[in-house]
Amino acid sequence: MAKVLVFIDNPGQVLKKSSLELLTIARSLGEPAVALNGELHDDVAAALGAYGVQSLYRPSAADLNDYLVGPKASYLAAAVQTADATIVLTENSAEAREVAARLGIKLGAGVITDVVAVDPDGTAHKSVLAGSYTTAAKATTPVTVLTVKANSVTPEPAVTGTAPVTSTVRVPDTAAAASARITARNEKPASGRPDLAEARIIVAGGRGVDGNFGPLEDLADALGAAIGASRAATDAGWIGHDAQVGQTGKTVSPQLYISAGISGAIQQKAGMQTAKVIVAVNKDAESPIFEIADFGIVGDLFQVLPQATEEIKKRRG
Amino acid sequence: MKIIVLVKHVPDAQFDRHLTGEANTTDRTESILSELDEYALEAALQLIEARGGEAAGHKVIALSMGPAGAVNAVKKSLQIGATEGVHLMDQALAGSDAAATSLALAAAVRHLGAETPVDLVLTGMASTDGETSLVPAQLAERLDLPQVTFASSLELDGTRLTARRDGDAHAETVEATLPALVSVTDQINDPRYPNFKGIMAAKKKTITTLGLADIGVDPSQVGPSGSWTAVESAEARPARTAGTIITDEGDAGIKLVDFLAAQKML
């Protein structure tokens, strides 16, 4: 049975939904193992057992977070060899993709990013060129490295839980030699909203919000959604750059994408047109966003969004 | 100092983009210099200009790997201000995945650093076609260089490089010693446009064409045979079609909630 190694980097107190998704996929492909970096809290350990993880690997070095990517890739390469894994799964974040990239070179393994589904034979499905094609790709090497997008599967615990066998993986002494050191790290204040890349629902604003994201934030909070923005809105300084969706920002594929005051230039559409359902609110009936919206409202977002927020609250009593 | 900026000739995202042929490679007929590479080029130019520019012996080499048309990305880079251009072109390179691409680029960087060493390799944060962001990290791994990716600011003091990275959960300051590989985001600067003087000056600049033999790479190491991944099938996704469009008559917010309820999104 194939050994499938899931890399989980600094899970914190509780495993993220995307990590549970990776464990669910791992179980469908073979015998799941986890290479963890960072502290192992009780809730995380319990979740690993509930999801059927057989082996748990932890690094001999505690300073992997002090460097950019290189040492994490060295650790993961050692873990793959220790576990004798043939498939490696990571999340699809920028950093995890880079760990996967370097791991691929270290192991001579093919890396496929932005994966949304994996067949039992390791064939990975993804969409390319801004969602205009779906492709099936496969690594031609003994080891396959896949970075999987959030919201790709529904997390499901194993039928029978396990008590993973824990072992330490020796991180090579040379791992940090040619790596950039992180000399300062400032946590950003948490918004309390879901992470944009993982959110099931996104409310995104553009030029039409004219500096006022308030009505979008209210609607997002009523829906449990993340806030996104077009480049016009982030360039204007109305909202942080990390909210940017589109070709030069994040590519997202939520269940529901509500676009408000965004004309839908092709670069913006590129970032979100794999969303399952698209809703658009824009004053300009000629906006290209209406060409791809499942439900479009020609109207003033400052009227429509607050009314929708009130209605949601009313229906929920 | 000697800076190599990787520039890519990519399909213009203003138009529909297509995969073509048996290998499902990207159709590059309507292609331009990748927008995200302009930030890397600008960062390189600012670094050498702050040190006396070409007159002080510093140079920025624009390096592009790709078919014949890719020379246009190099030409545009020269017009913007790069000192010289290098076009890595070989039939065998077509269909290379990130691993094979990074192998060829690493060999090209080594080749260009054979006489005087390369201090810095600069790239954009991603290409606007493949968008995997794998190549900068893989190139750093192959060249055994520290990687400083997604830099939103860049300072250089002697051989010590300091960059700011603006992540989702935290902002970081990172330090590395040259030589290094740096990828920059679109937050780092405002790229300059080629002006008339630049366009005229570019005509006198050299573009060197390199083949695989020049950089010591065997054709079997690149292209489909040197790639570690293969695209098995590609299907054009059916174009999204417009759904219901209504004009607000004072109750569109309520109709929106009706729609969300029907979609089971509440």
Side-chain angles (χ1 to χ4, degrees), chain A residues 98 101-102 106 131-132 134 136 138 140 181 183-184 186 188 231 241 250 266 273 275-276 293 296 298 307 315, chain B residues 35 39 138 141 147 149 166-169 171 173 175 228 230 232-233 235 237 240 243-244 246 248 250 253 258:
Chain A
E98 291 180 353
R102 297 190 75 135
K106 285 178 191 295
S132 49
T134 52
K138 207 171 173 183
T140 54
R181 180 183 273 277
T183 54
N186 298 312
K188 291 186 177 172
R231 184 164 182 180
H241 177 67
K250 291 192 177 69
I266 198 153
Q273 64 180 348
K276 189 156 171 281
V298 181
Q307 189 181 45
R315 290 192 194 189
Chain B
E35 183 198 338
Y39 299 91
Q138 297 203 320
E141 178 73 31
Q147 68 171 77
T149 44
D166 198 15
D168 284 338
T173 307
E175 282 187 14
W228 297 341
E232 301 193 321
S233 65
E235 268 177 63
R237 204 186 164 94
R240 281 193 99 103
T244 311
I246 63 164
D248 185 18
D258 289 339

Side-chain angles (χ1 to χ4, degrees), chain B residues 40-219:
Chain B
L41 187 55
E42 178 65 36
L45 294 173
Q46 288 183 12
L47 283 172
I48 69 157
E49 284 164 2
R51 285 158 186 76
E54 288 176 42
H58 302 298
K59 63 170 136 182
V60 173
I61 303 172
L63 166 63
S64 189
M65 165 178 146
V71 78
N72 291 325
V74 179
K75 282 183 184 160
K76 173 99 186 273
S77 305
L78 295 178
Q79 292 173 351
I80 293 171
T83 327
E84 53 188 80
V86 177
H87 181 196
L88 175 58
M89 176 172 68
D90 200 295
Q91 208 86 68
L93 287 166
S96 295
D97 72 349
T101 300
S102 65
L103 180 129
L105 288 172
V109 170
R110 281 193 207 100
H111 174 81
L112 294 171
E115 281 174 27
T116 51
V118 174
D119 299 292
L120 196 57
V121 179
L122 267 166
T123 79
M125 59 188 265
S127 66
T128 55
D129 52 355
E131 290 184 79
T132 65
S133 289
L134 292 175
V135 168
Q138 297 203 320
L139 188 55
E141 178 73 31
R142 290 194 187 274
L143 293 169
D144 200 23
L145 293 178
Q147 68 171 77
V148 178
T149 44
F150 298 97
S152 58
S153 81
L154 194 58
E155 278 168 46
L156 196 57
D157 180 7
T159 59
R160 202 185 62 174
L161 183 150
T162 309
R164 212 172 52 233
R165 303 173 92 227
D166 198 15
D168 284 338
H170 45 249
E172 289 168 346
T173 307
V174 301
E175 282 187 14
T177 307
L178 296 188
L181 178 138
V182 176
S183 82
V184 303
T185 72
D186 58 349
Q187 300 299 297
I188 193 168
N189 54 40
D190 293 312
R192 67 192 74 177
Y193 296 103
N195 56 25
F196 180 72
K197 203 175 138 206
I199 291 167
M200 294 314 287
K203 296 187 183 201
K204 293 186 194 128
K205 293 177 183 171
T206 325
I207 297 180
T208 310
T209 305
L210 295 176
L212 288 177
D214 298 311
I215 58 171
V217 169
D218 189 89

